[in-house]
Amino acid sequence: VGPGYDYEVVNTDVLLRELTVRDGCLLLPNGGRFRVLALDSASRVSPAVAARLGALIRQGAVVAGWPQPNGAETALSRLRRLS
């Protein structure tokens, strides 16, 4: 994130493969460090993303916002089950 910015948008690939958690902060390989992962409330998530969000939460990440249903099980119920 450059000077003057206080957020960064990450895509699914980055979320699944690059985002890590250390000391309660979300880290990107480029040095980006964030306290909260905010989800777009209008977004739908795949089971893989729901599982990854659950893993990040278990590692201490703060995730704000709730995904919408995608398939038979809602992402929210899956996320709660995985957390």
Side-chain angles (χ1 to χ4, degrees):
V1 176
Y5 293 92
D6 56 1
Y7 70 93
E8 188 164 331
V9 176
V10 297
N11 63 27
T12 301
D13 187 56
V14 171
L15 175 74
L16 293 174
R17 294 179 178 82
E18 298 180 19
L19 202 57
T20 60
V21 179
R22 186 175 51 206
D23 299 326
C25 289
L26 295 146
L27 305 174
L28 291 172
N30 67 4
R33 182 178 177 98
F34 308 93
R35 293 185 183 163
V36 176
L37 175 62
L39 303 177
D40 179 352
S41 63
S43 295
R44 293 177 182 255
V45 298
S46 68
V49 169
R52 181 66 179 140
L53 291 171
L56 292 170
I57 290 168
R58 285 191 302 278
Q59 294 170 28
V62 174
V63 178
W66 297 112
Q68 298 297 310
N70 186 20
E73 181 180 27
T74 67
L76 176 55
S77 64
R78 182 173 173 82
L79 186 58
R80 284 181 177 154
R81 184 172 54 80
L82 295 171
S83 296

